[in-house]
């Protein structure tokens, strides 16, 4: 640990990730604390059934473990872990991610540099399980993008509709982007506070997109740092509940639309989500001969229809109202 005053807090939200959480923490324990020191490493466990957050012991880490008795959702758990932080920087790290020894020090170095002084959010180069560079940076969602997804055209002609992810760019050089992947979401502490933290109305998905957009509107830059790397398995916990994962994604997309696209557009997207997209998903699944996908889509839309009265009847759609619609919105 160095005597440098720069402090970093790391928040990890866990839900049934098995040994991945231990691998994540072990990598942090090997990090070179050059130019910074750890404040807290907070693991927020959202009522896991696999006991993956039990008995964690890493003496070199200032580890704090919070056990929730229910799944509060990702955004709410992130805020819970960050509550009371006085650190200069916050890293929201997925439990299925694994940093290298110099990943954190390189992130700190960029944020502390004169070139990075207007960087509010930063990410790093993400490596997949085979060590290949993943093209993870994306532009902010648009109405057109949502419509393409609803019609299934992004699956049929993925290269013709690549405007969301920066697929045309190999991700091998550093640059400013609109959003970085939430698996390694490095935020200036003052920016996180000024933005009012994550919007807890997003139970899962879009919470980091929403914060990045709000930070951009406040004049901050999101920066992709290609000189630092992090391994990421992807969908470490949500692969266990694919139908609910789709439900949460659809619900968050509806919320994002009402928050950022305006009422007429959001209502149109809501109707398309409920009436058109289920058909296109089932048709695409039939064309691929996947009975599993048909079952998952049917389950997800059943959950969405059942949650719809709670969604529409809530004060969620009014800007500034914080009301959690997560597990409690499910039957």
């Amino acid at each position: 640990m160095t005597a440098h005053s720069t402090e970093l807090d790391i928040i990890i939200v866990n839900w049934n990730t098995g040994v991945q959480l231990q691998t994540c923490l072990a990598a942090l324990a090997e990090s070179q604390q050059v130019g910074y020191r750890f404040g807290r490493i907070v693991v927020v466990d959202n009522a896991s059934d696999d006991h993956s957050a039990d008995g964690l012991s890493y003496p070199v880490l200032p580890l704090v473990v919070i056990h929730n008795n229910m799944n509060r959702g990702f955004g709410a758990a992130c805020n819970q872990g960050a509550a009371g932080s006085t650190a200069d920087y916050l890293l929201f790290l997925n439990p299925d991610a694994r940093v290298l020894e110099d990943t954190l020090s390189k992130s700190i170095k960029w944020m502390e540099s004169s070139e990075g002084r207007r960087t509010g959010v930063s990410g790093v180069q993400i490596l997949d399980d085979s060590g290949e560079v993943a093209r993870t940076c994306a532009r902010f969602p648009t109405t057109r993008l949502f419509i393409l997804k609803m019609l299934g055209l992004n699956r049929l002609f993925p290269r013709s509709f690549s405007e969301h992810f920066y697929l045309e760019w190999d991700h091998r050089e550093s640059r400013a982007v609109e959003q970085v992947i939430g698996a390694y979401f490095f935020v200036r502490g003052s920016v996180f506070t000024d933005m009012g933290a994550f919007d807890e109305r997003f139970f899962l998905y879009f919470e980091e997109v929403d914060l990045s957009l709000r930070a951009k509107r406040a004049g901050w830059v999101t920066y992709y740092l290609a000189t630092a790397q992090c391994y990421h398995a992807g969908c470490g916990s949500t692969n266990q509940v694919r139908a609910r994962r789709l439900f949460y994604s659809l619900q968050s997309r509806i919320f994002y639309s009402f928050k950022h696209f305006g009422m007429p557009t959001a209502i149109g997207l809501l109707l398309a989500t409920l009436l058109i997209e289920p058909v296109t998903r089932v048709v695409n699944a039939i064309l691929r001969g996947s009975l599993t996908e048909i079952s998952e889509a049917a389950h997800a839309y059943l959950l969405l229809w059942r949650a719809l009265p709670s969604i529409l009847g809530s004060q969620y759609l009014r800007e500034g109202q914080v009301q959690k619609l997560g597990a409690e919105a499910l039957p």
Side-chain angles (χ1 to χ4, degrees), residues 125-329:
Q125 191 177 76
I126 299 298
L127 306 177
D128 61 23
D129 290 332
S130 61
E132 295 296 318
V133 176
R135 303 187 182 190
T136 56
C137 294
R139 300 174 178 91
F140 291 122
T142 62
T143 303
R144 180 176 183 271
L145 173 70
F146 285 161
I147 292 174
L148 291 177
K149 285 188 173 182
M150 290 175 190
L151 296 177
L153 296 179
N154 63 311
R155 300 185 192 90
L156 296 176
F157 310 103
R159 294 200 174 273
S160 299
F161 302 105
S162 60
E163 75 274 13
H164 180 49
F165 289 100
Y166 291 85
L167 298 182
E168 74 284 357
W169 164 46
D170 63 8
H171 284 57
R172 295 186 183 276
E173 73 274 354
S174 302
R175 58 180 280 190
V177 296
E178 292 192 359
Q179 57 167 307
V180 294
I181 190 172
Y184 184 101
F185 199 77
F186 201 98
V187 190
R188 198 175 295 274
S190 59
V191 172
F192 189 73
T193 299
D194 291 345
M195 294 302 103
F198 288 116
D199 188 335
E200 297 184 11
R201 298 171 293 182
F202 296 98
F203 186 81
L204 184 64
Y205 303 119
F206 286 90
E207 69 287 322
E208 84 284 5
V209 184
D210 168 69
L211 189 140
S212 297
L213 180 55
R214 288 186 283 128
K216 180 183 179 181
R217 289 172 175 171
W220 292 97
V221 173
T222 293
Y223 196 80
Y224 169 81
L225 191 64
T227 56
Q229 290 80 35
C230 177
Y231 285 94
H232 180 229
C235 301
S237 59
T238 56
N239 267 337
Q240 305 168 51
V241 283
R242 294 172 65 92
R244 291 206 173 199
R245 184 177 74 183
L246 175 57
F247 160 70
Y248 289 133
S249 177
L250 295 171
Q251 178 180 250
S252 291
R253 191 177 70 193
I254 292 169
F255 293 164
Y256 186 91
S257 299
F258 275 96
K259 184 171 184 179
H260 295 294
F261 291 164
M263 188 65 70
T265 299
I267 290 175
L269 290 173
L270 170 63
L271 294 175
T273 299
L274 295 172
L275 303 176
I276 298 176
E277 189 172 7
V279 177
T280 62
R281 283 187 178 274
V282 170
V283 169
N284 284 328
I286 291 174
L287 292 176
R288 285 192 294 271
S290 176
L291 294 177
T292 300
E293 287 186 33
I294 296 173
S295 174
E296 290 170 351
H299 187 196
Y301 278 94
L302 177 61
L303 292 174
L304 185 62
W305 274 99
R306 288 181 176 178
L308 192 60
S310 297
I311 295 173
L312 297 180
S314 74
Q315 294 299 309
Y316 175 84
L317 303 182
R318 299 181 183 178
E319 180 66 23
Q321 297 289 329
V322 177
Q323 180 171 337
K324 305 178 189 68
L325 287 174
E328 66 269 32

Side-chain angles (χ1 to χ4, degrees), residues 49-69:
D49 296 322
D50 67 350
H51 306 289
S52 51
D54 294 348
L56 298 175
S57 178
Y58 295 84
V60 299
L61 297 177
L63 188 63
V64 177
V65 181
I66 300 173
H67 293 276
N68 289 331
N69 58 13

